[in-house]
Amino acid sequence: MFLLSACEPKPATQAPGGGAPASADAPAPALSGPALAGAGTTVDLAAMRGKLVLVDFWASWCEPCRRELPELEALYKRHQASGLELIGVSMDEARGDAEAFLRDVPVSFPMIFDEGQALAKSWSPPKMPTLYVVDQEGKVAKVFAGEVKIAELEAEVTQRLGG
């Protein structure tokens, strides 16, 4: 049996006390932190209310994440003018690992370095990567655990943006 490779989260990404992961039809947990690029800039999901937001938990050590980020960048560029936002959340243990990866694979959407894994504890992504679709009302509309099929995500985004 052939299994698609998806990185299992490191133990630090598990919610404390076995908490439930952010799930569809529930309000999105808080998500805010300093941007990896642009010193002094804060990325805040709440400030994006009214827009469709993709929240992607990834790490430089995760091979499916490495393949997925360029595809997410292309999707973001195609739909940004229609109201799509994207936030990347690096699960790397060292900020330098995330920064080095992003020098090789630059993206135009904001990235947060999840120092101490506080965001992962509240969102509890089940796998690496995990991508959450947060609707315009701030609710988690869909969860893609593992490497996302870009055509499926494209259809989801297009439908939710009304196109």
Side-chain angles (χ1 to χ4, degrees):
M1 182 165 137
F2 176 77
L3 296 175
L4 292 176
S5 62
C7 301
E8 291 300 319
K10 292 185 176 185
T13 66
Q14 298 299 314
S23 59
D25 298 322
L31 185 95
S32 181
L36 263 169
T41 306
T42 299
V43 180
D44 188 359
L45 176 62
M48 298 176 183
R49 193 80 175 266
K51 294 188 175 189
L52 182 66
V53 183
L54 305 179
V55 177
D56 183 50
F57 282 84
W58 68 279
S60 64
W61 48 261
C62 170
E63 197 55 43
C65 303
R66 297 173 72 88
R67 288 190 301 267
E68 188 176 270
L69 277 174
E71 291 182 333
L72 292 177
E73 171 69 6
L75 178 101
Y76 176 64
K77 285 184 173 181
R78 281 192 302 275
H79 295 283
Q80 183 182 16
S82 299
L84 179 67
E85 294 291 342
L86 203 155
I87 301 171
V89 181
S90 168
M91 302 292 302
D92 285 294
E93 290 180 13
R95 182 183 184 102
D97 292 342
E99 291 170 335
F101 175 74
L102 292 172
R103 278 192 296 276
D104 293 336
V105 183
V107 296
S108 59
F109 55 87
M111 289 280 183
I112 298 172
F113 174 67
D114 190 12
E115 189 165 5
Q117 313 263 312
L119 297 173
K121 288 174 186 165
S122 64
W123 285 71
S124 194
K127 289 184 175 186
M128 294 300 288
T130 293
L131 186 132
Y132 297 89
V133 177
V134 179
D135 70 16
Q136 291 86 338
E137 287 77 46
K139 290 175 64 175
V140 175
K142 189 160 183 135
V143 179
F144 292 91
E147 189 170 2
V148 68
K149 291 180 177 81
I150 202 68
E152 186 179 340
L153 179 59
E154 180 91 38
E156 181 78 17
V157 165
T158 301
Q159 185 244 339
R160 290 193 176 275
L161 289 174

